Amino acid sequence: MQSELTPGEVVLVGGGPGDPDLLTVAGLRAIQQADVVVHDRLGANAALAETRADAELVNVGKIPRGDFTPQEDINALLVDRACKGLKVVRLKGGDSFVFGRGGEEWLACAEAGVPVRVIPGVTSAVSVPALAGIPVTHRGMSQGFTVVSGHVPPGDPRSDVNWDALARSGTTLVLLMAVQNLPLIAAHLIGAGLSATTPTAIVSDGSTEHQHRLSSTLGEVGDVAEVEGVRPPAIVVVGEVAGFDFSAVG
Ligand code: SAH
């Protein structure tokens, strides 16, 4: 991994799920060298303490259903700072290319002739289940996992996810951004043939001191989430592996 930042380049850094120890070494080095760090609400924001004293820090955090900086403005900011010859880090939660809109930022830089590269991050889709004691695959139980965004519900014209196929996929389902639509998603999966008794876990604030796991079934997970007042960010794991809690074993 190239560890020196070049003036005038944008580096898309995946910050991991939140705990700064889950930032990669390359990601940390980039943050330490940056002239500008454009960061979000999610991710290893504690690592911002590692920036140079004279670095510019810009918070463009998107809050679900709240105020947010339009993606076009973020793209323009990255291009503007790079064109001024600055070393620009775009710090995102997890991995920039997993629901991180890193691809759009890459294309905006490329169109503007700005050099851009990516430092991969530890995605919450795998790390948050692991930290809660859930392996997304397990020999003899699950030969795969499917990572899906639940930010639009099944049947919504904006959704391009085939939820019926997911119900029959035989893989573990890992749902991101699914808290709001969880009752609709669970009902749809059950209607499409997935058993209502399928173990289902919700893990919120993974890797932080507030990490919390709720274990239930697909049939009950919607009610459980509502009664417990689950709030984003949370990962929902549907499948036999969600019956494990390795953190309580051994
Ligand atoms: N690029 C990120 C995902 C961004 S989408 C990644 O690779 O992890 C935002 C969603 O990620 C949240 O709604 C939630 O579903 C999930 N998420 C991110 N960080 C999380 C955390 N610390 N705990 C639980 N879920 C998290």
Side-chain angles (χ1 to χ4, degrees), residues 107-198:
L107 289 174
C109 290
E111 278 165 21
V114 167
V116 55
R117 62 191 169 95
V118 66
I119 296 179
V122 174
T123 181
S124 63
V126 177
S127 62
V128 168
L131 291 166
I134 302 169
V136 291
T137 69
H138 188 70
R139 193 174 170 84
M141 185 180 280
S142 166
Q143 296 180 345
F145 59 97
T146 310
V147 179
V148 180
S149 169
H151 74 289
V152 286
D156 187 297
R158 293 168 298 159
S159 172
D160 53 20
V161 173
N162 186 336
W163 291 96
D164 290 2
L166 287 185
R168 296 189 301 272
S169 69
T171 70
T172 303
L173 304 182
V174 180
L175 312 179
L176 276 64
M177 295 180 275
V179 171
Q180 175 82 1
N181 294 319
L182 202 45
L184 288 172
I185 291 170
H188 193 100
L189 289 170
I190 292 167
L194 201 53
S195 169
T197 62
T198 307

Side-chain angles (χ1 to χ4, degrees), residues 14-19 40-43 64 92-102 121-129 131 147-151 174-179 202-208 211-212 231-236:
D19 181 342
D40 268 352
R41 186 178 55 93
L42 292 176
K92 299 296 279 273
D95 183 273
S96 302
F97 286 171
V98 179
F99 307 127
R101 305 193 71 169
V122 174
T123 181
S124 63
V126 177
S127 62
V128 168
L131 291 166
V147 179
V148 180
S149 169
H151 74 289
V174 180
L175 312 179
L176 276 64
M177 295 180 275
V179 171
I202 308 173
V203 188
S204 48
D205 291 317
S207 88
T208 75
Q211 177 174 310
H212 186 61
R231 302 175 69 83
I235 300 273
V236 181

Side-chain angles (χ1 to χ4, degrees), residues 132 134 199-202 212-217 220-221 224 242-245:
I134 302 169
T200 299
I202 308 173
H212 186 61
R213 171 180 175 165
L214 289 167
S215 300
S216 64
T217 61
E220 292 171 351
V221 70
V224 168
F244 281 122
D245 185 353

